Amino acid sequence: MNENQQYTSSVPRIRLFYIALIVVAVIFGLRLFYLQVLRHDFYQQQAQASQLKQYEIPAERGAIYAYDGGEIVPVVLNEILYRVTADPDIIEDPSQVASELSAVLNVSTEEIETKLRRENSRYEVLANKQTKEKKEAIDELGLPGIFTNEKISQRVYIQGDIAGQLLGFVNDAGEGQYGVEEYLQKRLQGTPGRVKALTDQNNV
């Protein structure tokens, strides 16, 4: 077979190769057009949905007022207290931290240290319903891994137990039990708020 015959026989294969390349390029082009143009809105919504997080903000329970002669006076209010938490993964010296916290929280050093030494835990509750003064005292210690920013709303009955049967009380779930607290539950509980935030893949 001479050179002309070899060249002539290879031409169809070259043409088939180029045709195959063109077909593949067209398929990729159509696919890209479909994804980037026709389905653009869909994938944009999917991306936003994965990044847009919605958090609920608990509603503060309403106060209760009563008439005292011609004056309106509060009989039930909310007091803001604080929850003390820890991230054991951050704490380098559990014994020292437990000792310093124990003096402020009136919780045994052993109990606090046990929580601070728990493995595979990033959140431990050390104490609930702490006053603003204790929160500030803990903040002044400047202990890494100790947090006091969680607020807890607690009902305060101005008259103490005197009007207990009339006013009722609120259980740990924030639901009114007996008396005015239960009767006006829907009105007093309020409506939770919502906040939306864009986050990355680590939810930050």
Side-chain angles (χ1 to χ4, degrees), residues 1-2 16 18 30 52 70 73 75 80 131 192 198 201 204:
M1 182 180 295
N2 57 39
L16 286 174
Y18 280 113
L30 291 174
L52 188 63
V73 296
V75 291
I80 299 301
T131 63
L198 285 174
Q201 61 181 0
V204 178

Side-chain angles (χ1 to χ4, degrees), residues 186-201:
K186 290 185 178 179
R187 182 179 297 181
L188 291 172
Q189 70 181 356
T191 303
R194 283 182 171 78
V195 61
K196 294 182 179 180
L198 285 174
T199 61
D200 58 19
Q201 61 181 0

